[in-house]
């Protein structure tokens, strides 16, 4: 029995970015095309089959523990970036400032995509959504650099509008303008926590 169901929802890629080194923070550089392997985006500092655990999972692992890398790719939407910019009172929030790997246009409420959803491109590349990407202070510092006095407000403004993290389920290449269809698993609440 099939569990993942294709939807009519699609998004078009309007930005692709690569961060070649973590030394510069999370800022990405715009590119026209990316190659995705099982480790993530080729040439991207966040790629790899595993990663060191960070502050986001300290309730599960000691900091620095080697774990599976489900944060290979940072996905946002034009709509979420515009909402956050509006909340901050700035004219624009550039994808590179927030470390975006992929920005889509047309996928409503992208940050709320259910974990384990798939974004499957016409050419076959498939990305699996891990979970919502929480706003962080590293990005706040980048916002502050471009808009003094606004960085401190970033985390509140971007809460539930920061996109999702994902990992590569089926590798290949994608470029600007390509379209991905959303596939979702069944949605239900876990009764003991409801």
């Amino acid at each position: 029995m099939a569990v993942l169901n294709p939807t009519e929802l699609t998004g078009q890629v309007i930005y692709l970015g690569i961060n070649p080194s973590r030394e510069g923070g999370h800022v990405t550089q715009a590119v026209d095309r990316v190659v995705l392997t099982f480790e993530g985006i080729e040439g991207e500092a966040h790629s790899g089959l595993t990663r060191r655990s960070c502050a986001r999972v300290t309730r599960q692992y000691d900091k620095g523990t080697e774990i599976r890398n489900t944060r290979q790719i940072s996905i946002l939407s034009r709509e979420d970036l515009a909402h956050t910019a509006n909340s901050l009172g700035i004219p624009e929030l550039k994808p590179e400032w927030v470390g975006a790997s992929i920005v889509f246009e047309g996928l409503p409420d992208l940050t709320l995509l259910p974990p384990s959803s798939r974004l499957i491109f016409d050419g076959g590349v498939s990305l699996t959504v891990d979970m919502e990407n929480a706003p962080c202070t590293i990005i706040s510092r980048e916002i502050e650099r471009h808009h003094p006095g606004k960085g401190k407000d970033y985390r509140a403004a971007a809460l539930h509008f920061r996109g999702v993290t994902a990992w590569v389920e089926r590798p290949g290449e994608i470029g600007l303008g390509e379209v991905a269809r959303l596939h979702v698993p069944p949605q239900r609440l876990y009764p003991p926590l409801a």
Side-chain angles (χ1 to χ4, degrees), residues 18-29 44-46 96-100 136-139 141-142 145 162:
I18 292 178
N19 177 350
S21 171
R22 290 184 189 226
E23 290 178 16
H26 287 311
V27 176
T28 54
Q29 300 168 2
E44 166 58 49
H46 294 89
E96 53 267 32
W97 299 347
V98 297
C136 68
T137 55
I138 295 170
I139 305 299
R141 289 193 291 267
E142 187 63 24
R145 225 169 57 74
R162 173 70 172 88

Side-chain angles (χ1 to χ4, degrees), residues 2 48 83 86 100 102 138 151:
H83 176 276
N86 186 54
I102 301 172
I138 295 170

Side-chain angles (χ1 to χ4, degrees), residues 11-16 31-36 101-104 121 123 125 172-180:
Q12 183 174 32
V13 176
I14 62 166
Y15 176 88
L16 292 168
V31 295
D32 293 334
R33 189 156 207 78
V34 293
V35 175
L36 296 112
S101 307
I102 301 172
V103 176
F104 283 104
F121 289 82
V125 170
E173 289 187 32
I174 57 173
L176 291 174
E178 293 193 32
V179 173

Side-chain angles (χ1 to χ4, degrees), residues 4-76:
L4 285 166
N5 296 302
T7 71
E8 295 302 313
L9 299 174
T10 62
Q12 183 174 32
V13 176
I14 62 166
Y15 176 88
L16 292 168
I18 292 178
N19 177 350
S21 171
R22 290 184 189 226
E23 290 178 16
H26 287 311
V27 176
T28 54
Q29 300 168 2
V31 295
D32 293 334
R33 189 156 207 78
V34 293
V35 175
L36 296 112
T37 69
F38 287 118
E39 293 188 354
I41 297 174
E42 271 188 5
E44 166 58 49
H46 294 89
S47 66
L49 292 176
T50 64
R51 69 180 180 95
R52 298 283 175 205
S53 63
C54 62
R56 296 176 189 275
V57 290
T58 53
R59 292 181 180 164
Q60 291 74 44
Y61 313 103
D62 293 334
K63 193 171 180 181
T65 302
E66 187 175 17
I67 60 174
R68 174 76 166 102
N69 187 5
T70 58
R71 297 178 59 79
Q72 295 172 341
I73 299 168
S74 174
I75 302 173
L76 290 103

